[in-house]
């Protein structure tokens, strides 16, 4: 995204925060492609026959973002980080609803590759990942935010550092710690009787 477009997007977010409703309508065309990229990244970890598609995920996330007035948008990176978080929440809510419909079933093994990519997109996997992230956030809030921004939001190390207002080296340390912590936590869930 060009600097001029980034500044325009940030200006619209600030206008929206300030109460100018028209800014929301101007915002969507500017963010749609990036939201679609984030949604495709989220959907890549889901099973191939998932009912939701990337377009539906973008639309649901955008509706939730527009409906939330309490966000104090800082800039473009902050908006996309929150969009990634909202998309994850949509998928978790969907997985919980699907699991509640099934009621029961065998435990599923949840594994990650080196990039924290879930091996399957079953509702149980999505819920286990969400619970592990919540547990990480309870103990290490910033490290959890790094995972959300980097993995779910697709932000670069530089963008993540900018959003969190820390150094790039801190982001890399947090990222490494969080990946190891989550893999260990998920293996405990699977190995529990």
């Amino acid at each position: 995204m060009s600097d001029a477009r980034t500044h325009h997007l940030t200006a619209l977010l600030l206008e929206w925060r300030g109460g100018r409703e028209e800014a929301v309508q101007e915002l969507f065309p500017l963010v749609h492609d990036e939201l679609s990229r984030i949604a495709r990244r989220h959907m890549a970890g889901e099973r191939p026959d998932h009912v939701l598609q990337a377009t539906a995920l973008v639309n649901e996330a955008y509706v939730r973002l527009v409906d939330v007035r309490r966000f104090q948008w800082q800039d473009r990176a902050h908006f996309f980080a929150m969009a990634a978080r909202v998309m994850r929440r949509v998928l978790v809510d969907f997985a919980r609803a699907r699991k509640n419909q099934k009621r029961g079933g065998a435990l599923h093994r949840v594994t990650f590759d080196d990039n924290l990519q879930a091996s399957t997109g079953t509702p149980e996997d999505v819920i286990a990942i969400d619970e592990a992230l919540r547990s990480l956030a309870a103990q290490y809030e910033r490290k959890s935010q790094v995972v959300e921004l980097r993995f779910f939001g697709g932000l670069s190390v530089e963008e993540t550092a900018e959003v969190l207002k820390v150094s790039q080296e801190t982001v890399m340390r947090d990222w490494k710690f969080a990946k190891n912590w989550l893999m260990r936590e998920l293996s405990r869930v699977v190995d529990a009787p």
Side-chain angles (χ1 to χ4, degrees):
M1 190 174 268
S2 72
D3 282 345
R5 193 165 173 181
T6 297
H7 291 301
H8 181 61
L9 176 59
T10 299
L12 284 174
L13 287 167
L14 295 176
E15 289 174 23
W16 177 20
R17 181 175 85 182
R20 189 171 83 82
E21 294 296 323
E22 300 80 25
V24 175
Q25 283 76 33
E26 294 175 42
L27 184 67
F28 191 69
L30 294 176
V31 298
H32 186 269
D33 289 346
E34 185 69 15
L35 290 176
S36 294
R37 186 188 66 73
I38 294 169
R40 284 191 303 275
R41 184 175 176 92
H42 277 283
M43 296 307 296
E46 298 293 328
R47 63 187 192 289
D49 63 339
H50 198 286
V51 175
L52 283 178
Q53 297 299 314
T55 302
L57 185 56
V58 167
N59 292 337
E60 179 63 24
Y62 193 75
V63 166
R64 290 186 186 191
L65 285 167
V66 168
D67 194 40
V68 177
R69 305 252 183 252
R70 71 181 182 277
F71 285 128
Q72 296 295 310
W73 305 116
Q74 299 167 13
D75 55 23
R76 170 196 164 278
H78 184 239
F79 174 80
F80 287 121
M82 291 311 299
R85 178 178 280 183
V86 168
M87 285 183 196
R88 185 171 70 84
R89 292 296 337 142
V90 168
L91 290 173
V92 169
D93 291 347
F94 186 83
R96 286 189 196 285
R98 184 174 162 98
K99 183 179 178 191
N100 288 339
Q101 287 175 349
K102 289 184 175 182
R103 294 275 182 210
L107 290 175
H108 289 77
R109 179 171 289 277
V110 180
T111 59
F112 283 102
D113 71 14
D114 208 28
N115 294 316
L116 284 179
Q117 180 67 42
S119 61
T120 65
T122 66
E124 292 81 5
D125 290 352
V126 173
I127 292 167
I129 293 164
D130 181 62
E131 289 171 357
L133 276 171
R134 285 176 184 258
S135 181
L136 176 65
Q139 295 180 45
Y140 307 101
E141 177 65 28
R142 190 186 66 223
K143 290 169 177 45
S144 174
Q145 291 172 330
V146 167
V147 172
E148 284 190 340
L149 296 171
R150 298 263 303 127
F151 180 70
F152 294 106
L155 270 61
S156 69
V157 171
E158 181 179 276
E159 290 170 321
T160 302
E162 180 183 328
V163 168
L164 297 177
K165 298 183 181 359
V166 296
S167 71
Q168 293 179 29
E169 292 78 16
T170 298
V171 169
M172 291 305 297
R173 279 192 306 272
D174 286 353
W175 176 243
K176 183 177 179 179
F177 176 91
K179 286 194 310 184
N180 291 329
W181 193 95
L182 287 168
M183 285 189 269
R184 187 175 58 247
E185 184 73 13
L186 288 169
S187 70
R188 285 185 193 145
V189 170
V190 171
D191 296 337

